[in-house]
Amino acid sequence: MQSTERAGTMKTALDKGPFGPWALVTGASSGIGREFARQIAASGINVVLVARRDALLSELGRAIVQEFDVQYRALAMDLSQEGFIVGLADATDDIDIGLVVSNAGTPNPGEFLKLDRKLLQATLRLNTMAHLDITHHFGAKLAERRWGGLILIGSLGAGMGVPLLANDGGAKAYIHSLGEALHYEFKPRGIYVTVVPPPLTNTPVLAKLGFDPRTMPMKHMSVEQCASEGLNALRENRSRIVAGRLNRFMDAFVPAFVKRTFTAKMLGKALASKSASASSRRGRPDNGPVMNRGTEPPSQAGELAF
């Protein structure tokens, strides 16, 4: 396994033996999922791209084919819907998948009681049950071939509880527990399992949380570094990797209540600013953060990073 940095872009080379000839990446239409797909394809591994937005998946697939000379398969699916795994299993049954990156998920920030319960339930299905279904189905496939890899995308906030992201943080805690337990269970079967909890990363999720990358009080991470460190940790069969040296230090040594307080204040300020900006554009007085009361299914563009 090698990590290289060219023109500011970090890449990690994967062994096609255990982790090919195909890999599957969910939440692949943007953000960290998109970058995982690119770096995996750069190793000569074909990719199955899964997300809701078919046009973005096809665009990424064509770019990957042209740049890395691999095959791709774009599957537009709503992973928050019960029973999606049947269609996903049917669409991939004819190929040998050696690596799965279970990345689909999204945050819905706001005060818990001001968020619509149906939206919370749909988000919970996407952020937990989708990972369970994917891990169980493809875990069995990997066990049959007796080698391969599984990456579960978590969140740095999963272990401490984040006010204004209570439901989302709880869901990510499930992913962490699931992944670290399966790291132990799957090891004798030749399957590597790694949990990757991204720090605040430069993806569309930042805007959803109300952050402006140009004015954030702390530096965000690039998707290239996050994906590269995640793939490198998988190759070393590490149960968990926090990308970035400073992030690893803070995760290990800063007390949870300190991180919780700091994150809550930073997020609360960002959401208030986002609400004020939205109110200004609508030309009406601001009455506090505007919370999502709709029941539209959650986006699956990529990771939940907080």
Side-chain angles (χ1 to χ4, degrees):
M1 173 74 61
Q2 294 179 337
S3 293
T4 60
E5 189 169 356
R6 295 193 182 111
T9 300
M10 302 182 68
K11 294 181 180 179
T12 296
L14 280 177
D15 185 347
K16 289 191 289 185
F19 302 121
W22 284 85
L24 181 143
V25 182
T26 67
S29 58
S30 68
I32 291 175
R34 180 185 177 91
E35 184 59 27
F36 265 109
R38 284 184 52 78
Q39 292 196 25
I40 291 167
S43 295
I45 298 173
N46 306 315
V47 288
V48 179
L49 309 171
V50 183
R52 286 199 309 170
R53 296 177 289 181
D54 183 56
L56 291 180
L57 294 179
S58 297
E59 178 186 346
L60 172 60
R62 290 191 297 268
I64 284 175
V65 169
Q66 183 174 6
E67 186 172 358
F68 304 117
D69 193 27
V70 297
Q71 300 177 57
Y72 85 95
R73 186 173 294 185
L75 302 177
M77 294 185 173
D78 184 353
L79 304 191
S80 70
Q81 297 299 308
E82 294 183 20
F84 79 87
I85 193 64
V86 176
L88 182 57
D90 288 344
T92 57
D93 191 55
D94 61 324
I95 55 178
D96 183 16
I97 293 176
L99 173 60
V100 176
V101 180
S102 191
N103 166 71
T106 188
N108 280 294
E111 294 180 42
F112 183 74
L113 295 180
K114 292 184 178 180
L115 291 167
D116 183 85
R117 182 159 49 89
K118 290 184 179 180
L119 175 66
L120 292 173
Q121 291 171 342
T123 304
L124 190 62
R125 282 194 299 271
L126 174 62
N127 289 340
T128 57
M129 294 299 293
H131 295 274
L132 168 63
D133 288 339
I134 287 169
T135 301
H136 194 272
H137 174 76
F138 290 102
K141 292 283 190 179
L142 294 173
E144 289 177 4
R145 71 200 300 269
R146 298 204 64 81
W147 65 349
L150 174 63
I151 293 177
L152 297 174
I153 305 301
S155 167
L156 272 183
M160 62 180 180
V162 181
L164 304 179
L165 282 168
N167 185 54
D168 307 312
K172 289 296 182 178
Y174 167 79
I175 294 173
H176 283 220
S177 182
L178 175 70
E180 296 199 49
L182 294 183
H183 172 84
Y184 183 89
E185 284 192 34
F186 286 4
K187 194 172 184 178
R189 299 176 179 269
I191 306 169
Y192 291 6
V193 181
T194 298
V195 176
V196 180
L200 284 170
T201 306
N202 191 16
T203 73
V205 170
L206 288 182
K208 190 168 186 179
L209 296 176
F211 293 122
D212 184 341
R214 300 167 299 179
T215 60
M216 286 176 58
M218 57 190 299
K219 183 176 175 58
H220 57 75
M221 174 169 286
S222 70
V223 292
E224 292 85 359
Q225 181 178 354
C226 186
S228 178
E229 292 198 30
L231 291 172
N232 191 60
L234 176 74
R235 176 61 180 83
E236 297 174 352
N237 198 18
R238 299 176 62 177
S239 65
R240 181 175 180 266
I241 179 66
V242 175
R245 187 175 303 172
L246 178 59
N247 295 318
R248 285 192 287 273
F249 175 85
M250 294 180 63
D251 182 61
F253 297 108
V254 177
F257 79 90
V258 174
K259 292 184 287 188
R260 185 184 305 115
T261 301
F262 172 78
T263 304
K265 289 181 178 179
M266 183 173 67
L267 182 58
K269 183 177 180 180
L271 291 175
S273 177
K274 179 182 178 182
S275 176
S277 177
S279 296
S280 176
R281 288 194 298 270
R282 289 193 297 267
R284 65 172 177 79
D286 178 44
N287 293 315
V290 176
M291 305 304 175
N292 190 344
R293 291 180 176 274
T295 57
E296 290 296 317
S299 165
Q300 295 158 42
E303 75 296 337
L304 167 61
F306 56 85

